[in-house]
Amino acid sequence: MTEQPHHDQLREAFESHENNTPDPEAVYARVQELSVKYKRRRRGAQIAAGGVLGAGLIAGAINLPAFLPANNAVTNTAAGVPAGAPASPSAAASPDTSTRDANLAAYSEAGYGYDDAGKLARLWKMNGDDRLSVKAEAGRRLLLGETLPIQPSPDEPVEEETISPTQEKQFRAFFNAGYTWDEAEKLAKIWKIADPADAKLEAGKRLLAGETLPVKPKKENVAAALENKRAEAFFEAGYDVDDAVKLAKLWKLKDAWGAKVEGGKRILAGQTLPIQP
């Protein structure tokens, strides 16, 4: 799959604060810190036009991670992950902000970059589009004293970019419908758009207008996008991984990820879960 843009570092900054309502300047400082380590170089994978990120954008886009890929098939694993086994996105990074930051810091301080996360995702059979979770899992293992199966290759910094609220909605519509970079490339060819990232914007615009796209997403990606939406609703309601483990036992589900998805499904349907967050 074509490499993703430097918005990876933006996603990390925002997701690391997703359970809080932070001071925009504090989040901006976090973005600036991460941008030195995680920015992307390839224009063919950029999401939006170049520009300088300002604190005003941060203040108006605290939910920015939603526009990033979260729709590839999810690998379910048990709540306890063996040291050498693949980890599900649900177990990879703790919802606790300090733990997540510590894991990401360990990853970056060891010299690993965005491309490394893609390699690790393939080795561990994790979602390659959700590289934040891959990095957090790698950092967790590093903090446990484990040696990762690849050598570090940090990314080089590039010019920062901005994204408007309208573009954020378009990207959200694109990914929530189950589309991925592969479909973006096909749409770019059909619509004669040079950059597949711009094809995502056009696709999202048309989806929001109720139009049908000439390319259909894969069924498994549509299902995975719905799962992620439900899991997000679970966390947004204040529940965490420990709650998911308890619910998995109550509902006799095989893992915590399944409990997050089921819990989010019930929350979105207006139901009350059997435990409080």
Side-chain angles (χ1 to χ4, degrees), residues 37-117:
K37 303 170 183 176
Y38 302 132
K39 291 176 190 171
R40 304 301 303 127
R41 226 180 1 174
R42 295 183 56 174
R43 175 63 186 92
Q46 288 175 353
I47 286 185
V52 178
L53 180 64
L57 170 65
I58 304 297
I62 294 300
N63 293 321
L64 188 58
F67 79 81
L68 289 148
N71 53 316
N72 277 16
V74 176
T75 302
N76 290 335
T77 59
V81 182
S88 72
S90 61
S94 168
D96 178 73
T97 302
S98 60
T99 300
R100 180 187 291 256
D101 283 348
N103 291 343
L104 291 172
Y107 180 88
S108 62
E109 288 170 4
Y112 289 93
Y114 184 83
D115 290 336
D116 296 325

Side-chain angles (χ1 to χ4, degrees), residues 5-23:
H6 86 266
H7 281 75
D8 172 62
Q9 115 270 356
L10 292 181
R11 176 178 183 167
E12 293 176 12
F14 281 103
E15 286 198 356
S16 66
H17 295 81
E18 64 188 352
N19 294 322
N20 305 320
T21 54
D23 174 15

